[in-house]
Amino acid sequence: MSTLLSPLPATAPNSGSTLAPDTGKPGFGIYLHWPFCAAKCPYCDFNSHVRHAGVDQQAYIAAFRAEIAAMRALSGPQVVTSIFFGGGTPSLMAPETVGAILDAVRAAWVVPDGIEITLEANPSSVEAGRFRGYRDAGVNRVSMGVQALNDSDLKRLGRLHDRADALKAIGLARDIFPRMSFDLIYARPDQTPQAWAAELEEAISLAADHLSLYQLTIEEGTPFYGLHKAGKLIVPDGDLSAELYELTGQVCDSHGLPAYEVSNHARPGAESRHNLTYWRYGDYAGIGPGAHGRLSTADGKIATATERTPEKWLSLVSETGHGMIETSELTLSEQADELLLMGLRLREGIDLKRWQALSGRELDPERTSFLVQHGMIEEMGPERLRCTPQGMLVLDAVVADLAI
């Protein structure tokens, strides 16, 4: 067990001590996708690519600048409420690259001082000088893909770092950034509730204010999928997975990190502002290879998607000024479905009036009553509805039932 470290500040400068309630105006986020990794993890189905010959970061800076300008033309003037560098492995970027991209965002939209600016990092690509460079560029929150705190599971998950690397990276992040979080994967092969509880206790002592805790899922097209289908990779069954999920909530609750979303736990005030923009169904510009976005325009809300392959994206931006391959208008019914799907992930649930305004109807009272009676959802007065912890276990089924 690691020695308990002193807590980090719960919030970034000027962000306020508590999270603002859902007002129906979730803000405007910027998502910037850096698609490159040092290696592809066997469970990962994200848009990530390995380029052993290296990456021309200056070329990508120019392309990001162009696509940011194109997104600004779609979104119009906005006040940015959060910025997130995701991947891939954004910590493979030079700090100067991060700084140049942030400068382009600031040139396109209003970016107030002190808003949450997050960068994802892998412990294997972390070193103090680079972290300080990110901080100097404006990053004030780091989210690290630790995934496990023991060497055997890290090796099984295909990670390039070991436990010592993870602890070093966590220590550096705590020293340099006002806020930090890291991810762990559970429901791993051969994992017992007792082992997970001990690992989670240690993680909480290290993380201080935020943890993202995901169940291992077997995604089609990944190496793990082939191994699992061949019977060479055995993961916990449904009952054990449910037990591990419930245990996760109990341990985090007992340490003051309740779940504010299905897989995310935080001390009050340390919730991820950027991810809340998604879950509260706000607007965000998705920039970079394979990024998705949602933007409100004069013609309605649109879904955007960019070319996934980095080199094709780079070429497309050079030819057209952006890498977008989809800009489709969402019907009000589609928006209502997305609001339901995203909002019920949150412990605070959804604003029923907002959903009704989009859908043009009320939820079916018989279906709602059935789900309430069976402990899947609960009404929070006449204006809000949320999933219970039991309902979170079968969230997709609950959403499908309500959406009909």
Side-chain angles (χ1 to χ4, degrees), residues 245 374-377 387-399:
Y245 172 79
H374 285 78
M376 299 291 107
I377 60 174
C387 270
T388 64
Q390 183 180 352
M392 290 289 190
L393 287 169
V394 289
L395 179 59
D396 289 347
V398 171
V399 170

Side-chain angles (χ1 to χ4, degrees), residues 243-316:
E243 181 181 353
L244 291 167
Y245 172 79
E246 291 169 354
L247 176 63
T248 300
Q250 292 166 6
V251 173
C252 289
D253 284 350
S254 71
H255 288 280
L257 277 79
Y260 68 98
E261 189 267 346
V262 174
S263 302
N264 285 271
H265 301 253
R267 298 193 188 283
E271 300 89 346
S272 168
R273 270 59 168 171
H274 186 81
N275 287 337
L276 279 170
T277 300
Y278 301 150
W279 298 321
R280 287 176 169 175
Y281 201 49
D283 282 5
Y284 57 98
I287 299 158
H292 292 257
R294 294 291 184 273
L295 296 173
S296 295
T297 70
D299 297 323
K301 192 156 188 167
I302 63 171
T304 67
T306 60
E307 166 60 48
R308 290 172 58 87
T309 304
E311 292 78 14
K312 290 181 179 179
W313 175 82
L314 201 63
S315 177
L316 189 58

Side-chain angles (χ1 to χ4, degrees), residues 27-67:
F28 181 76
I30 306 294
Y31 177 79
L32 301 149
H33 191 77
W34 187 256
F36 302 108
C37 284
K40 185 78 171 179
C41 295
Y43 56 85
C44 177
D45 70 338
F46 292 167
N47 186 42
S48 58
H49 305 263
V50 178
R51 297 292 183 265
H52 296 297
V55 174
D56 183 350
Q57 295 198 25
Q58 289 302 313
Y60 280 90
I61 288 172
F64 270 94
R65 285 173 174 154
E67 189 157 270

Side-chain angles (χ1 to χ4, degrees), residues 64-213:
F64 270 94
R65 285 173 174 154
E67 189 157 270
I68 286 167
M71 290 292 179
R72 169 61 174 80
L74 280 176
S75 74
Q78 298 286 346
V79 177
V80 176
T81 52
S82 64
I83 301 171
F84 194 101
F85 287 89
T89 307
S91 54
L92 292 175
M93 281 191 279
E96 294 78 12
T97 301
V98 172
I101 293 172
L102 285 175
D103 285 345
V105 172
R106 294 185 185 104
W109 296 282
V110 176
V111 180
D113 291 340
I115 67 163
E116 180 186 276
I117 302 177
T118 301
L119 181 136
E120 290 185 334
N122 277 344
S124 57
S125 62
V126 164
E127 47 93 6
R130 184 174 288 177
F131 261 21
R132 291 193 177 94
Y134 297 144
R135 183 72 187 99
D136 290 343
V139 174
N140 54 27
R141 182 176 181 272
V142 67
S143 177
M144 288 189 297
V146 172
Q147 313 309 7
L149 288 171
N150 67 77
D151 287 340
S152 60
D153 277 342
L154 286 169
K155 185 176 181 179
R156 179 180 287 179
L157 291 170
R159 305 298 287 168
L160 296 181
H161 65 275
D162 59 19
R163 173 183 164 83
D165 293 330
L167 296 179
K168 177 184 176 183
I170 290 168
L172 284 172
R174 292 176 63 101
D175 288 343
I176 294 169
F177 296 97
R179 296 175 62 200
M180 64 88 71
S181 175
F182 62 84
D183 300 354
L184 291 179
I185 293 173
Y186 67 99
R188 307 189 296 255
D190 303 320
Q191 189 175 46
T192 65
Q194 295 77 16
W196 173 233
E199 187 174 8
L200 188 51
E201 291 272 357
E202 180 179 15
I204 291 169
S205 76
L206 295 167
D209 66 359
H210 192 288
L211 283 171
S212 296
L213 306 168

Side-chain angles (χ1 to χ4, degrees), residues 361-378:
R361 63 184 178 90
E362 295 186 355
L363 291 171
D364 185 295
E366 290 187 8
R367 290 183 181 276
T368 302
S369 177
F370 176 85
L371 291 170
V372 169
Q373 290 173 13
H374 285 78
M376 299 291 107
I377 60 174
E378 56 188 347

